Amino acid sequence: VNRGTEPIVGGQLALEIDGRSIQTEDVDVGAGSSESVTFAPVTIAGRFMRGSVRATPDALDADNVFNFVVSPVQPVRVVVVDRGGTGSAALYLTRALAIGDTPRFETTVRQPDGLSDEDLRQASVVVLNDVAVPAALGRRLERFVEAGGGLLVALGPRAAWPQDVDILPGALKERVDRTRGEAARIGALEYGHTVFEPFRAPRSGDFSAARIYGYRAVEPEASSQVLARFDAGAPALLERQVGSGRVLLWTSTLDLS
């Protein structure tokens, strides 16, 4: 952008990454106008590399450099812990994750007794898909979340959580059957939260159209936040920050029921 009253002729923009000069492009900008310059694609060798775009020096040097940090595109590594391993219970979840490409999701399915320490070291997110969590696994997941991992717990009819591991956003209570009469509907969404922000615009999806035939009653923990509720007011989705990580608790299943 040239905010001056004289044109810029023979100017240059230089791209630098990690202290190395990558590319320089010529640019002419008329008085009081702007031009666009595109650099060729660059392969980034490591994470959090510092870069800058530097313009030709002029009378005001303070705004001649744009600094940034860039990292290679990395997939979000998700471990789905499912009672059936590679069975059909995780089918809907893994297929939904496979659609995403910004970012891309790399999904691994494990049974509760097959989740290794290496799986947790490589994972960004662990999804517990309607599983009974033994105490030993619960303590390992606690350390995973405290270190910055994400945990999503789906409360199907088989889900259970050890009482001596306090990281869930709420205490699990009785099951609620909505197969008779009106099915439950989702409402009261916190659209300002990162989870639902993409759906704030009109025609971005109608969560209330989903019919829920069963869920678990949950008593929210004091430091948790309820992000969505069912039509009767019961929590549908809760969040709690634990250490450097977060735990999301979905009080129903991730399947057709």
Side-chain angles (χ1 to χ4, degrees):
V1 177
N2 179 11
R3 305 186 192 279
T5 58
E6 299 292 332
I8 295 175
V9 180
Q12 290 186 326
L13 285 180
L15 171 64
E16 299 175 0
I17 295 180
D18 198 27
R20 296 183 299 109
S21 178
I22 303 298
Q23 185 179 351
T24 301
E25 289 291 319
D26 296 330
V27 59
D28 296 335
V29 189
S33 64
S34 64
E35 294 291 337
S36 178
V37 172
T38 301
F39 295 103
V42 180
T43 300
I44 305 301
R47 299 183 65 194
F48 307 122
M49 301 188 72
R50 299 177 64 179
S52 61
V53 175
R54 193 178 305 273
T56 304
D58 59 14
L60 182 61
D61 286 338
D63 63 352
N64 287 349
V65 180
F66 174 78
N67 297 307
F68 60 91
V69 176
V70 65
S71 294
V73 176
Q74 296 285 349
V76 177
R77 292 182 171 86
V78 181
V79 176
V80 178
V81 182
D82 185 271
R83 64 185 183 277
T86 57
S88 60
L91 179 63
Y92 300 105
L93 181 57
T94 54
R95 285 189 174 179
L97 288 171
I99 297 172
D101 57 3
T102 53
R104 179 172 61 87
F105 294 96
E106 189 176 277
T107 307
T108 302
V109 181
R110 292 284 187 265
Q111 295 189 27
D113 57 357
L115 182 64
S116 68
D117 291 338
E118 182 63 21
D119 290 330
L120 293 179
R121 277 193 293 271
Q122 295 186 4
S124 300
V125 179
V126 173
V127 180
L128 300 179
N129 190 25
D130 188 20
V131 295
V133 178
L137 177 57
R139 288 188 289 269
R140 291 169 61 207
L141 291 171
E142 181 178 28
R143 293 191 293 269
F144 167 75
V145 174
E146 289 176 341
L151 179 64
L152 170 61
V153 181
L155 295 179
R158 299 172 178 80
W161 186 261
Q163 293 185 354
D164 61 341
V165 181
D166 182 21
I167 63 172
L168 291 188
L172 310 188
K173 301 298 182 180
E174 69 279 358
R175 301 172 187 169
V176 179
D177 185 358
R178 295 291 293 265
T179 57
R180 299 179 180 179
E182 282 290 322
R185 304 276 181 161
I186 304 173
L189 278 68
E190 292 291 338
Y191 282 105
H193 190 275
T194 307
V195 168
F196 293 116
E197 189 175 10
F199 305 98
R200 296 180 67 174
R203 297 183 295 277
S204 296
D206 182 9
F207 285 90
S208 65
R211 289 175 290 180
I212 311 297
Y213 298 101
Y215 58 87
R216 290 283 288 275
V218 170
E219 182 179 344
E221 197 268 346
S223 62
S224 66
Q225 180 184 6
V226 179
L227 304 181
R229 294 182 181 273
F230 294 118
D231 47 12
L237 182 66
L238 306 90
E239 180 191 50
R240 179 182 177 184
Q241 183 164 354
V242 179
S244 300
R246 295 178 184 273
V247 180
L248 286 171
L249 183 65
W250 168 244
T251 62
S252 189
T253 58
L254 296 173
D255 56 22
L256 291 179
S257 59

